[in-house]
Amino acid sequence: MTRARFCPEQSDVVQLRCVDESLESEHSFGNQLWYFEGVGVDIDQRRCSVFGVVEYSVQFGLHELVDDGVFDSEQQRERFRHIYEREVHPPSWRQPAHRWLAIGMVAVTFTWLSYLLLRILSV
């Protein structure tokens, strides 16, 4: 709330809930996404509803803050969620474009090494 320029003494978080959690494994860190709703009080003493999000990375059992935000509406917060979901799901070799990229890199490497080998042998 402080980063969104609301008074921390007068503002209040009404509800806090975890909406997404991926557990930490031996091969990857975990993630947690928390939503909160509250009432923010600005410098002019105006009260307004706020919708917030906090993203944590779980690394070796410790929670490290990755990103947070306070929004005026639930729709704005949901846009953050769509970006979060794209980042959490890493690219996979099952996608055809990634396989073609790997095949192309191998072909270019093979061609370049063949050229260098022929050049060395012809001297």
Side-chain angles (χ1 to χ4, degrees), residues 70-112:
V70 176
F71 305 99
D72 296 328
S73 69
E74 290 185 59
Q75 291 80 17
Q76 291 175 337
R77 181 173 64 185
E78 285 303 315
R79 278 190 263 159
F80 178 92
R81 175 92 185 252
H82 292 298
I83 294 169
Y84 164 81
E85 287 176 350
R86 277 190 258 145
E87 291 176 358
V88 170
H89 303 294
S92 168
W93 288 110
R94 295 179 187 188
Q95 295 177 347
H98 294 154
R99 287 190 298 237
W100 282 110
L101 176 63
I103 291 168
M105 290 178 65
V106 168
V108 168
T109 302
F110 177 75
T111 305
W112 182 250

Side-chain angles (χ1 to χ4, degrees), residues 25-43:
S25 69
E26 291 183 22
H27 304 290
S28 65
F29 295 129
N31 288 349
Q32 287 185 346
L33 187 67
W34 292 79
Y35 275 5
F36 67 88
E37 285 85 26
V39 177
V41 179
D42 63 11
I43 297 171

Side-chain angles (χ1 to χ4, degrees), residues 9-79:
E9 289 83 23
Q10 295 177 341
S11 300
D12 191 27
V13 173
V14 177
Q15 183 181 12
L16 177 69
R17 66 187 183 280
C18 182
V19 294
D20 188 36
E21 179 177 24
S22 63
L23 299 176
E24 183 178 20
S25 69
E26 291 183 22
H27 304 290
S28 65
F29 295 129
N31 288 349
Q32 287 185 346
L33 187 67
W34 292 79
Y35 275 5
F36 67 88
E37 285 85 26
V39 177
V41 179
D42 63 11
I43 297 171
D44 299 328
Q45 300 299 314
R46 289 182 293 195
R47 300 174 71 79
C48 59
S49 296
V50 293
F51 304 90
V53 63
V54 180
E55 179 186 357
Y56 290 105
S57 174
V58 182
Q59 302 177 9
F60 305 108
L62 302 174
H63 289 74
E64 180 179 328
L65 179 65
V66 174
D67 201 1
D68 61 354
V70 176
F71 305 99
D72 296 328
S73 69
E74 290 185 59
Q75 291 80 17
Q76 291 175 337
R77 181 173 64 185
E78 285 303 315
R79 278 190 263 159

